[in-house]
Amino acid sequence: MDKKNPRTFTTEQWQQRIINAWQPGTLILTSGGRLARQLGHRYRLQQIDNGHKSWPPLEARSLNGWLNQCQQNLWEAEAPAGSWLRLRLWHEILRNNPPPADLPLDLALYQTLDQTYGVLIRHCLDPSEAQYPSPLVSWRQQVCGEFISALRDVNRYHPAELPLKITEAINSARLSLPKSLILAAFEAPAPLEKELFRLVSQKTNVAVFPLPKEKPGNIQAVSLPDQNQEIFYLGQELLHSYQELTAGSIGVVV
């Protein structure tokens, strides 16, 4: 595994280094779809500027996109459960197992449970095992156990398990890999993803491009007493920023 040092590069220079390292037959895997689209767009503009009429497409995919494509290529009976199926299963399970705390049985609770389940899976923790028992954690342990059984009954699994499933397929030679891979912007992969990357690096050539470390600008922190005031403050700041900056340079991270 070849690790590139990005610390002295701007974002634009860093993206250009990734494109320069790419060649046909190499797959670029990114931590998110936005970076994959940016790399593809930059590559296309360069080919046009160089007067090319045709060119091999830049093979850049988000990790999740690639995992889903691999799963489809395997043609296995077991498949990831869609969001509607998962929420319906949570609804049915919680209807028969209400939480001990005063929590409303609504969509927000089902989504929170599903997200929590996914985080536990990606970090190689058993959702049906409670390490620090309390009434609420014990309840979550119980409903997660029923959720696992319900998924098995319909021959499905949670999408958070995809890295594990693809790791198993690669290890058993049921899935082939490109001749080389570029991993871009994976600053904090989950343990399940780390295991996938470890195995992939043993099977093919892998180059790693961590995110460049640019000098931060003016950073300020504001603490507000409630969510309504946070939303109001955010709206004011966006309006103020829009008068001074271009829309494309403004970002909101929640």
Side-chain angles (χ1 to χ4, degrees), residues 157-170:
Y157 55 85
H158 196 280
E161 296 182 57
L162 261 177
L164 173 62
K165 301 295 183 180
I166 300 306
T167 299
E168 293 172 349
I170 294 171

Side-chain angles (χ1 to χ4, degrees), residues 2-254:
D2 178 25
K3 293 187 177 181
K4 309 295 184 180
N5 180 9
R7 299 309 178 188
T8 59
F9 293 91
T10 66
T11 299
E12 291 76 15
Q13 292 171 329
W14 175 74
Q15 290 188 4
Q16 188 59 51
R17 292 181 70 236
I18 295 175
I19 293 173
N20 293 342
W22 177 84
Q23 57 184 343
T26 297
L27 174 63
I28 301 173
L29 286 182
T30 63
S31 57
R34 182 180 181 183
L35 175 57
R37 292 190 295 272
Q38 287 177 341
L39 291 171
H41 181 64
R42 183 182 296 272
Y43 175 76
R44 285 191 297 272
L45 291 180
Q46 290 175 2
Q47 300 307 307
I48 294 172
D49 289 343
N50 291 333
H52 296 158
K53 300 299 182 182
S54 63
W55 53 84
L58 185 79
E59 300 172 72
R61 302 285 302 276
S62 70
L63 175 62
N64 285 337
W66 180 70
L67 291 173
N68 280 285
Q69 185 62 56
C70 288
Q71 187 276 327
Q72 293 176 23
N73 293 341
L74 287 170
W75 282 88
E76 295 184 327
E78 193 180 32
S83 59
W84 285 110
L85 172 60
R86 302 197 311 272
L87 292 176
R88 180 173 65 83
L89 292 177
W90 285 119
H91 169 71
E92 294 174 354
I93 292 169
L94 266 62
R95 186 174 54 186
N96 299 321
N97 299 273
D102 186 20
L103 297 174
L105 296 180
D106 57 10
L107 180 62
L109 179 59
Y110 310 149
Q111 291 173 327
T112 299
L113 274 171
D114 192 67
Q115 292 167 1
T116 302
Y117 183 94
V119 170
L120 292 171
I121 289 293
R122 290 177 67 247
H123 285 79
C124 302
L125 300 173
D126 186 353
S128 62
E129 180 179 338
Q131 294 182 330
Y132 307 100
S134 70
L136 193 58
V137 173
S138 297
W139 168 79
R140 190 193 68 192
Q141 172 191 6
Q142 178 184 348
V143 296
C144 282
E146 294 196 19
F147 182 69
I148 293 171
S149 298
L151 286 176
R152 288 173 179 167
D153 289 343
V154 293
N155 216 19
R156 294 292 184 268
Y157 55 85
H158 196 280
E161 296 182 57
L162 261 177
L164 173 62
K165 301 295 183 180
I166 300 306
T167 299
E168 293 172 349
I170 294 171
N171 207 25
S172 61
R174 291 183 289 117
L175 187 68
S176 59
L177 290 170
K179 67 179 183 181
S180 61
L181 281 169
I182 292 175
L183 302 180
F186 290 97
E187 291 299 289
L192 216 58
E193 296 164 350
K194 287 183 180 178
E195 179 60 26
L196 171 63
F197 295 158
R198 184 195 64 80
L199 176 63
V200 165
S201 67
Q202 296 174 356
K203 302 288 186 179
T204 190
N205 295 322
V206 176
V208 179
F209 285 81
L211 282 168
K213 187 176 182 180
E214 298 186 66
K215 186 177 180 179
N218 182 24
I219 299 177
Q220 297 178 340
V222 178
S223 178
L224 297 168
D226 58 57
Q227 189 177 56
N228 288 335
Q229 291 191 43
E230 289 175 354
I231 295 172
F232 184 71
Y233 175 81
L234 174 60
Q236 284 185 319
E237 289 299 303
L238 284 173
L239 288 173
H240 178 72
S241 298
Y242 191 76
Q243 295 172 359
E244 299 182 349
L245 305 170
T246 60
S249 64
I250 302 171
V252 176
V253 179
V254 180

